[in-house]
Amino acid sequence: MWKPASLACSLSLAATAVCPAVDSRHSYLSEHEIQGFGDFDGDGLLDVVVVDRASGNYRVGRQVGGALSWEKPCPSGVAGVDGIAVGRVTVTGRDQLLVAGLLANRVHLLQPCAQPASPTMLAIEGVGPADVVAVDIAFPGNDSARHDLIVTSAFHGGGDSFQEILRGEVSGVSALTATELPEPYRRGSRVFPAENVEPWAGFMVLDDTAGSERFVVGNTQNPAVEDIRELPGFAVGTDYLAAPLMGGPANQVVFWLPGDPVLWVSEWTAVPELDAAVPHDLGAAIESVYVVEEPSGLALFVTFDGGAHGAVFALDGSGVPVAGQRFTAPTGERINGVLGFAPGALSMLIGPAGGGASTRFQQLDHDGARWRPVAGGALPSVGAASAGTNVFLYDGEPFVDPEAKLVQSLQVADWTSALVVSGGANPTATVVAETFGGQSAGLGGAAPQALGAVEGGVAFGLPSVLFGEASLSAEGGPLGLTLPSVSIHPPPGEYDRHVAAALVTDAARSYYRLGGNPIWVEFEAGDPDRPITSPFRGLEPFTVYYYAESDSGARSPIHRADYSFAGEPGTIDSDDDGVPDYVEIGYGLDPTAGADSDADGYPDLNELLAGSDPNDPDSVPAPGGEPIELGNLFDLALKPLSHDGQPGGGAVNASWAASNADHTPTNLHIYSMGQALIGHAPTEINDADNLADSSVRAPTSRACRPRAPTCSSSPAPTRISTPNRTTTPPRGANWSN
């Protein structure tokens, strides 16, 4: 096998190294997984990582003897992963994993599958971090042996993106700059433009006005990482990768839109200039594109039609993709990913055809002529139960102290017992850990394990084994520092009344934003001027995003609540006072406060019709005004005549019942005096003595019409029509919907 020069060199961060234009740490994004590379054990060989986006659990495949040895899943502590990065941030001898989640509202820095599993939560300013890039940035005093970070948050408010630059240090990261970006930046990645050129940062940027995206490159030799080159005109959702695919010193960048057959190819022919992208139709809908290394150089492995099949393409001297070996996924399965972890070696990830996490792998080696399968097998399951937390640390004694709070959660091997916490200013902990050897072997290898320093304030803890036959575990639970909790009341759902929601939290502060409004508002309990309700006059469906924040800056995940209403907005009267909610809201009234908002003895309905102010107790209807007695309002029941004959041939033709097999019922229409149809329905009974059960009923009277902006002081009577006659109801019953 040939020397893996390109891969080995890319693992070196030395500023003086002469490296080809490839970054083996590029990550591949799909609907269910994010796949990436790194030397996680410091042996100089490229390992792989596959992150399950839903749970945040990840699997590491370590390169051993030319193959990948897959380890059991480990938790990242971030559910709903949007982006990952691999780099050497606080250490220099091996790569670390960074995981970001917009709704998880945090970025975790991890030593992959280290024990105990406890991430470092980065202190960032942005709300909703969705993307992270690990790259060396040239600023005064920079340690070139460590990567710095570019974190982009998509929910911060104000601009469309909020970008922070953090310096990697032995003790963690420190903030350098923070910038509001006018457009959404996403899909950040470290890219090499050419041989012997320091890596830059690439992003896809949404152009709202054009409805498209552009590829931009930030210069990492400038501390502000200013954009220096861009390619516009890509469809929204376009992905990309960069590698020396034509064998020369310059790097090529290829772009594709999942579901589209066109592969776009661009080249840095004269750094920093980037040539216009040239389209090439590959003949089928592209799912994703990966880099693999064949004897002739780097090539593209392209998957098509949802992963149903794939093919290897090499770029010729003109940058045109030339198809080579083709592959087909097994029946009922799909190709989820292709990880070229070494020259002439790749691992094909296989998953169910309907989508989901990868379930098995197939390694292929290149024999100089073609790729051939050499080994395969099942991947460790990535379900929530596969990476649960099993050490729980508290500030008080659980089950004894009712005020005890969970401070920190850890994962140690597969099972824990005999937890000992030494309190004090700098608490530490030890535990007996066991590993699971399968259904036949069970648990074994029990041995004490020092957990080292734990969070300040920890005094007690719980392991897997509590006492006797009692045990404890948490599937998909929190990992690391316990975050603030927050809830919203009433719960999301459909309501037939006005909704004014409130946040409940144990944290110092809580924030919310409505729908597409980018501004976060601090919630203040009992503030009547800032209720959490629909921005559309309180009557249209609305969405609330919310989170809580502690004094230390720790934030809860961002939660979402959706509220909707049954029926049309004009029919909602939350306090049943005769005035629809939309009218009360329009006049600045609380639609849930009852009939007399200012407690002056005059119902809001009277005041609105009389022209006085229902918000002002000193403003009342003029003397002599006719009061409106809600008790005079009633359901109007009518029994129309028949137009289809009558029993016995009498002079008065009562309408037929809907159940009659020989005659049709009368269809009764109810109109307003403005000729607007209020409703219609056929009669169901013809019992002259039982009008209360009539099927056609004028709805309960209201003083306001649904589509009118205000109430009318002199509404016209309702006219009720049948084919035979017109009836005008008595005065007092003339308020209609």
Side-chain angles (χ1 to χ4, degrees):
M1 185 174 289
W2 53 93
K3 181 181 178 182
S6 59
L7 295 171
C9 188
S10 69
L11 294 174
S12 171
L13 289 177
T16 59
V18 178
C19 292
V22 65
D23 188 358
S24 59
R25 297 185 188 83
H26 182 83
S27 61
Y28 300 105
L29 180 70
S30 70
E31 179 183 358
H32 301 285
E33 294 176 338
I34 304 180
Q35 302 143 4
F37 304 86
D39 180 11
F40 299 125
D41 50 17
D43 63 358
L45 299 175
L46 200 62
D47 308 311
V48 302
V49 61
V50 179
V51 182
D52 179 64
R53 298 187 66 179
S55 67
N57 296 338
Y58 63 94
R59 295 170 284 192
V60 170
R62 299 191 188 273
Q63 190 177 164
V64 180
L68 294 178
S69 174
W70 291 94
E71 300 180 348
K72 75 178 189 70
C74 299
S76 71
V78 176
V81 178
D82 291 289
I84 72 168
V86 174
R88 303 179 180 189
V89 182
T90 61
V91 299
T92 58
R94 62 185 183 278
D95 283 324
Q96 298 166 295
L97 175 65
L98 295 115
V99 181
L102 186 153
L103 295 181
N105 206 15
R106 56 193 180 274
V107 179
H108 277 180
L109 174 65
L110 301 131
Q111 311 291 337
C113 292
Q115 291 292 321
S118 181
T120 299
M121 185 167 62
L122 302 188
I124 60 173
E125 182 180 348
V127 178
D131 200 51
V132 57
V133 180
V135 63
D136 187 33
I137 300 174
F139 52 82
N142 177 45
D143 182 355
S144 61
R146 290 182 173 83
H147 282 121
D148 308 300
L149 302 177
I150 304 173
V151 178
T152 305
S153 298
F155 251 27
H156 188 73
D160 283 305
S161 290
F162 184 78
Q163 198 169 84
E164 300 169 72
I165 297 178
L166 310 173
R167 173 171 32 203
E169 301 171 339
V170 176
S171 57
V173 297
S174 59
L176 292 178
T177 63
T179 307
E180 291 274 4
L181 302 176
E183 299 165 302
Y185 277 54
R186 69 169 189 87
R187 200 62 179 104
S189 180
R190 189 172 55 242
V191 295
F192 284 84
E195 194 172 281
N196 298 324
V197 176
E198 293 296 328
W200 293 344
F203 296 91
M204 297 303 297
V205 180
L206 177 64
D207 187 340
D208 287 321
T209 58
S212 62
E213 289 188 320
R214 65 184 187 274
F215 174 65
V216 302
V217 178
N219 183 9
T220 58
Q221 301 310 296
N222 182 315
V225 195
E226 296 175 347
D227 296 344
I228 57 173
R229 288 295 177 271
E230 66 177 48
L231 283 180
F234 294 104
V236 176
T238 294
D239 206 346
Y240 70 95
L241 62 81
L245 298 166
M246 295 169 60
N251 208 345
Q252 289 74 44
V253 188
V254 296
F255 304 88
W256 68 94
L257 177 69
D260 189 86
V262 177
L263 184 75
W264 298 79
V265 180
S266 177
E267 185 175 8
W268 268 293
T269 53
V271 177
E273 298 300 327
L274 187 59
D275 294 347
V278 178
H280 303 278
D281 192 333
L282 301 188
I286 298 172
E287 176 72 9
S288 193
V289 181
Y290 308 86
V291 173
V292 297
E293 189 163 356
E294 298 187 320
S296 58
L298 297 181
L300 299 174
F301 193 119
V302 183
T303 57
F304 297 99
D305 297 329
H309 55 100
V312 176
F313 289 82
L315 298 188
D316 66 12
S318 301
V320 177
V322 178
Q325 188 174 350
R326 297 184 180 274
F327 304 84
T328 301
T331 302
E333 295 181 306
R334 56 172 280 170
I335 303 172
N336 270 1
V338 178
L339 305 178
F341 61 89
L346 65 84
S347 184
M348 186 183 295
L349 303 181
I350 308 296
S358 300
T359 56
R360 65 185 187 89
F361 72 96
Q362 175 64 63
Q363 181 171 333
L364 294 91
D365 287 354
H366 205 289
D367 63 5
R370 60 189 295 108
W371 294 96
R372 298 186 183 278
V374 294
L379 289 168
S381 172
V382 78
S386 65
T389 49
N390 53 22
V391 174
F392 309 90
L393 303 174
Y394 294 80
D395 61 359
E397 187 172 2
F399 306 129
V400 176
D401 181 357
E403 302 297 326
K405 293 182 179 180
L406 180 66
V407 176
Q408 187 179 11
S409 302
L410 308 173
Q411 185 206 44
V412 184
D414 296 315
W415 198 251
T416 58
S417 60
L419 174 65
V420 177
V421 177
S422 61
N426 300 297
T428 61
T430 60
V431 72
V432 173
E434 298 178 71
T435 56
F436 183 62
Q439 291 185 351
S440 58
L443 292 169
Q449 182 169 340
L451 306 184
V454 295
E455 289 293 326
V458 168
F460 295 89
L462 297 174
S464 301
V465 178
L466 301 180
F467 49 84
E469 297 179 352
S471 61
L472 176 69
S473 64
E475 297 182 1
L479 182 70
L481 186 67
T482 299
L483 302 174
S485 63
V486 61
S487 60
I488 193 167
H489 298 279
E494 184 180 78
Y495 289 85
D496 59 2
R497 292 289 186 265
H498 175 83
V499 173
L503 301 182
V504 179
T505 181
D506 59 359
R509 296 168 294 278
S510 59
Y511 298 87
Y512 71 93
R513 59 186 281 185
L514 293 174
N517 188 338
I519 305 302
W520 290 98
V521 178
E522 183 172 357
F523 176 74
E524 297 181 13
D527 184 354
D529 296 326
R530 290 195 295 185
I532 304 178
T533 188
S534 170
F536 307 106
R537 296 169 68 92
L539 300 170
E540 295 292 335
F542 66 102
T543 297
V544 184
Y545 294 95
Y546 59 98
Y547 72 94
E549 182 179 66
S550 68
D551 284 330
S552 66
R555 293 172 178 154
S556 75
I558 298 172
H559 304 281
R560 171 175 173 158
D562 295 302
Y563 294 93
S564 61
F565 298 94
E568 293 295 324
T571 67
I572 300 175
D573 183 4
S574 296
D575 52 11
D576 293 318
D577 64 349
V579 185
D581 284 5
Y582 82 99
V583 176
E584 294 188 280
I585 293 170
Y587 280 96
L589 303 173
D590 181 352
T592 64
D596 187 3
S597 296
D598 54 9
D600 61 359
Y602 290 87
D604 296 341
L605 176 60
N606 284 50
E607 298 208 51
L608 288 171
L609 295 176
S612 58
D613 186 353
N615 273 314
D616 183 359
D618 295 326
S619 174
V620 298
E626 182 179 354
I628 299 174
E629 298 292 340
L630 293 182
N632 288 341
L633 306 180
F634 56 88
D635 287 346
L636 182 64
L638 294 176
K639 185 174 182 180
L641 300 181
S642 171
H643 58 82
D644 188 26
Q646 49 109 8
V652 178
N653 301 329
S655 63
W656 295 89
S659 58
N660 191 287
D662 300 319
H663 300 277
T664 59
T666 298
N667 193 17
L668 182 70
H669 292 69
I670 302 178
Y671 295 85
S672 71
M673 288 301 294
Q675 303 304 311
L677 177 65
I678 295 174
H680 67 88
T683 54
E684 291 186 0
I685 63 172
N686 62 356
D687 182 358
D689 298 325
N690 196 0
L691 288 178
D693 292 333
S694 174
S695 64
V696 181
R697 185 180 300 276
T700 301
S701 302
R702 292 288 183 266
C704 304
R705 301 171 189 268
R707 296 176 180 82
T710 60
C711 295
S712 171
S713 60
S714 57
T718 299
R719 184 184 64 173
I720 301 174
S721 301
T722 75
N724 306 81
R725 64 182 184 178
T726 298
T727 302
T728 299
R731 183 173 180 81
N734 56 11
W735 302 99
S736 71
N737 276 345

